[in-house]
Amino acid sequence: MKILSKSFYLKDPAVAAKELLGKLLVRKLGNEELLGKIVETEAYYGLSDPASRVTKKAAESFSLKAGQTFIYMVHNSWLLNIVANKKDKPQGVLIRAVEPLNNLEILKKNRKGKDCFLLTNGPGKLTQAMKITKEHHGIMVYAKDSDLTIAEGTKEHFIIISNHRIGIRNDLKRKLRFYIEGSKWVSKI
DNA sequence: AGGAAGATCTACT
DNA sequence: GTAGATCTTCCTA
């Protein structure tokens, strides 16, 4: 399994968000390795983004370098972001949904018996299922020994749909949400 | 110290 | 589809 290099994250967040679709999220949990295919992402543009208070907080945390995680709690849920930018700007990609590929029993246990696509079809759900918390804030996802990494996925072909983002009052005009067409794990069509 | 608001989730109608 | 739950952070006094 090939882990994406740091240079992968040195690009425009919208581009990175699109290219992250189909990649593998690798969560090391003790002796187990939880694999999830990324099926839904959103790009965030930090300071120029109307996402109010979240942006402010993000601006601080995005002083992190490209390729590091940025984890944030909202509405009793953890959200997983990967910092991605060309320059030193507070920008990044939000991982909204993944398709679990193995260790379903562990995911079910963490999700109190939920099943199938209910396991990870939302930002708060996938972090719960994979036991991702604030302790993973600032992890370098390109480092081989990190508990959380992102690796090359299969080379299968899929169609990418773009849409406006979810849950923001005054969204930007650009469509910054991307997901794989037909995936059962996409949170909302 | 207290209140308000949020990149959500769940349950119910 | 809509309302309520529930927690962390930020803002104001």
Side-chain angles (χ1 to χ4, degrees), chain A residues 148-159:
Chain A
L148 199 60
T149 54
I150 295 180
E152 279 290 350
T154 52
K155 298 279 183 178
E156 64 181 289
H157 195 64
F158 48 78
I159 298 176

Side-chain angles (χ1 to χ4, degrees), chain A residues 13 42-47 49 54-72 80-85 87-94 137:
Chain A
E42 284 182 11
Y44 278 84
Y45 281 85
L47 295 176
D49 214 306
V54 176
T55 304
K56 214 170 179 181
K57 174 73 177 176
E60 302 170 17
S61 299
F62 277 141
S63 61
L64 299 166
K65 300 297 182 187
Q68 284 185 281
T69 57
F70 162 46
I71 295 180
Y72 185 68
L80 172 61
N81 303 257
I82 311 292
V83 178
N85 53 32
K87 305 170 185 175
D88 267 348
K89 289 185 179 178
Q91 303 176 338
V93 179
L94 166 69
H137 181 81

